[in-house]
């Protein structure tokens, strides 16, 4: 079912549809090697890279396989990151969550705030039963982030993805609807 892209407002953030006009902002933070090193992406080199990413966001939304929100501070429209779902499987009521935020905004709790809102949307609006996160073993900050949201580490997926010329191991994390409800009573 296709509907208008939802906007989510949190204490400090606006989560909104990503537009073509956001390409320059995306290029700034996705060209930063530290931001993309655990995402399976090479640092972006051009506006064309950012436009490809925006087109991917649009395609997963139109196909019903995901939705990716652009993150901006409430008092600004400048995009500082993104968070959302991919690999959504409606039959099995599950999706994978992904996120990244500009290095300028690391350590401020903004990624946690965005992730919490997206998880709530997934369980409450998309009626998901399970949300997964696939995280490289070296990406300790993202592991801590999802663990603080109630995700459990289920195991290691060896050589699960081939990105940037190498095979990557990924930890599988998940949170179930019952886990979320227990944490947010």
């Amino acid at each position: 079912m296709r509907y208008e892209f939802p906007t989510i407002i949190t204490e400090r953030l606006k989560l909104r549809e990503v537009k073509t006009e956001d390409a320059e902002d995306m290029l700034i933070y996705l060209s930063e090697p530290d931001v993309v090193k655990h995402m399976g992406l090479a640092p972006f080199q051009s506006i064309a890279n950012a436009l490809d990413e925006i087109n991917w966001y649009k395609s997963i939304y139109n196909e019903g396989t995901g939705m990716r929100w652009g993150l901006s501070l409430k008092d600004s429209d400048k995009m500082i990151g993104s968070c959302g779902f991919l690999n959504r499987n409606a039959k099995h009521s599950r999706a994978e969550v992904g996120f990244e935020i500009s290095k300028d905004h690391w350590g401020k709790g903004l990624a946690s705030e965005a992730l919490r809102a997206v998880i709530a949307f997934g369980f409450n609006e998309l009626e998901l039963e399970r949300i997964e996160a696939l995280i490289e073993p070296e990406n300790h900050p993202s592991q801590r982030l999802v663990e603080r949201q109630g995700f459990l580490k289920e195991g290691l997926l060896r050589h699960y993805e081939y990105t940037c010329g190498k095979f990557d191991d990924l930890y599988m994390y998940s949170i179930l609807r019952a886990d979320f409800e227990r944490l947010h009573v």
Side-chain angles (χ1 to χ4, degrees), residues 1-6 58-67 88-91 121 124-127:
M1 177 173 78
R2 179 91 162 82
Y3 49 91
E4 186 174 326
F5 198 96
K58 289 177 182 181
S59 73
I60 63 172
Y61 180 67
N62 289 333
E63 295 163 2
T65 60
M67 36 189 338
R88 181 175 176 207
N89 185 313
K91 176 182 177 186
F121 186 92
N124 297 328
E125 304 300 323
L126 299 179
E127 299 180 354

Side-chain angles (χ1 to χ4, degrees), residues 122-135:
F123 287 127
N124 297 328
E125 304 300 323
L126 299 179
E127 299 180 354
L128 297 174
E129 174 62 22
R130 173 186 170 93
I131 298 174
E132 301 169 344
L134 298 173
I135 302 173

Side-chain angles (χ1 to χ4, degrees), residues 10-116:
T10 67
E11 182 182 342
R12 298 176 290 169
L13 294 169
K14 179 170 45 174
L15 287 71
R16 58 172 179 75
E17 185 173 13
V18 179
K19 307 276 189 190
T20 303
E21 300 80 49
D22 295 312
E24 287 185 33
D25 294 338
M26 288 180 75
L27 176 60
I28 291 169
Y29 68 82
L30 290 174
S31 64
E32 174 61 51
D34 286 340
V35 172
V36 300
K37 73 179 173 185
H38 297 298
M39 293 175 59
L41 297 174
F44 284 15
Q45 302 293 318
S46 68
I47 289 290
N49 296 141
L51 291 171
D52 287 346
E53 187 78 356
I54 292 168
N55 287 334
W56 178 67
Y57 294 172
K58 289 177 182 181
S59 73
I60 63 172
Y61 180 67
N62 289 333
E63 295 163 2
T65 60
M67 36 189 338
R68 193 80 169 201
W69 285 267
L71 310 179
S72 61
L73 298 174
K74 271 170 71 168
D75 60 355
S76 168
D77 213 33
K78 179 181 173 68
M79 194 169 151
I80 61 168
S82 77
C83 186
F85 299 114
L86 62 152
N87 298 325
R88 181 175 176 207
N89 185 313
K91 176 182 177 186
H92 298 293
S93 300
R94 71 174 178 247
E96 182 184 334
V97 71
F99 48 86
E100 85 281 330
I101 195 159
S102 165
K103 195 171 179 180
D104 294 342
H105 295 281
W106 286 6
K108 299 176 183 178
L110 294 172
S112 183
E113 189 173 320
L115 181 59
R116 187 170 39 255

